[in-house]
Amino acid sequence: MPDTVAVAAVTFDRPDDVKTLLEALAAQSGNITSVALVDSGKSPVSDIAENSSAPVNYIRSNTNLGGAGGFSLAILSAMASGAEWIWIMDDDAHPEDPDCVSTLLAAAKERGLDVVLPLVVAPGAPDTLSFHFRLDGKLTHDRAEVAARGFLPNVGHFFNGALIRADVFYRVGLPDLRLFIRGDETDFMIRLRRAGIEFGTVTTVALTHPAAWAEVQPVLGDRMHVLVPETPFKQFYFYRNRGFLTRRYGRVKSFVADAVGYPVHFARTRDPRGFANWLRAYAAGMGGRRFGPPSDFGF
């Protein structure tokens, strides 16, 4: 019998993207038995889910749980279906070709892994990666350059297309609801590493997902960079969660890089308000403060 796969997906007011995602999932050659779709948006997409040819289990959430909470709910629902593997999908991503999940499954079996990930490429630019990799100390978005390395062990971009054996969640837990967005994927990856669960990126297959190039701000050329999300909402959660994870896991290198990189960046861009916002949120995360629903912080 082929391995069974249940998709765990989250959406928030992206009806066109959801339709594209469900169409791509319905076309997969792998044995996708269900799609747990958690919808926290203001405009429900229940009609799209109902009319899809994919086996959708539509789950309406009247509370915005963020990416972390939404994925946790979707993963639990996917696990409850009895599937052996959980394939995690954001609503604005979709598999590049029909053999995506089959290729990931084959790679997992070949290498004896419980977690594998695809590359993530930019819409309309399949030769360019949406999220960079660091090769030989330099950042690259070149798909061919990364693909030439073959399988990339113990690195990957969660949660876009991560294929995870269901029992892994019993060992490392679900995404942390407290993080809401921006950082939950890093936390999960750290937990995998600490649990000794090997994973990696399969470079022969890809998902399409909007690029994050604009967030990458160089500080010392290719040797150092910082990430500055495009909205105050995303900035707050990214800075706070990064500070929280730095303290929680004792990430000394990350702390040094942030303590140098962000002051230099904001000084170079002459943005004292940006620096103050970063420092306030980062310090709160380091101290385990300013956690709660978005309404507590004016969002």
Side-chain angles (χ1 to χ4, degrees), residues 46-104:
S46 54
D47 56 333
I48 295 176
E50 183 178 349
N51 293 321
S52 172
S53 55
V56 181
N57 172 24
Y58 178 77
I59 304 167
R60 175 64 187 162
S61 174
N62 292 317
T63 297
N64 182 6
L65 303 172
F71 278 130
S72 292
L73 178 55
I75 290 167
L76 282 175
S77 179
M79 291 175 66
S81 75
E84 299 165 87
W85 295 84
I86 311 300
W87 200 17
I88 304 180
M89 288 283 169
D90 206 353
D91 58 357
D92 54 354
H94 63 270
E96 187 180 48
D97 64 71
D99 294 326
C100 186
V101 73
S102 297
T103 302
L104 290 173

Side-chain angles (χ1 to χ4, degrees), residues 90-134:
D90 206 353
D91 58 357
D92 54 354
H94 63 270
E96 187 180 48
D97 64 71
D99 294 326
C100 186
V101 73
S102 297
T103 302
L104 290 173
L105 281 169
K109 288 184 177 181
E110 178 185 353
R111 297 180 178 276
L113 299 176
D114 292 331
V115 182
V116 288
L117 303 97
L119 291 175
V120 183
V121 298
D127 295 329
T128 307
L129 301 177
S130 294
F131 308 109
H132 67 259
F133 284 89
R134 184 175 290 276

Side-chain angles (χ1 to χ4, degrees), residues 180 233 236-237 240 289-299:
F180 198 73
F233 177 74
F236 168 75
Y237 282 103
R240 186 204 66 182
R289 295 177 285 106
R290 299 189 74 187
F291 283 88
S295 58
D296 286 359
F297 316 118
F299 297 118

Side-chain angles (χ1 to χ4, degrees), residues 132 134 139 141 182 212-231 235 238-239 257-258 260-271:
H132 67 259
R134 184 175 290 276
L139 303 183
H141 289 89
R182 305 305 297 263
W213 306 327
E215 295 186 1
V216 181
Q217 304 297 324
V219 175
L220 296 174
D222 287 331
R223 290 177 294 175
M224 179 182 289
H225 72 279
V226 296
L227 296 183
V228 180
E230 65 272 23
T231 67
Q235 288 169 9
F238 179 74
Y239 299 154
D258 292 343
V260 173
Y262 280 100
V264 170
H265 165 73
F266 288 117
R268 182 177 294 169
T269 57
R270 299 181 181 180
D271 184 7

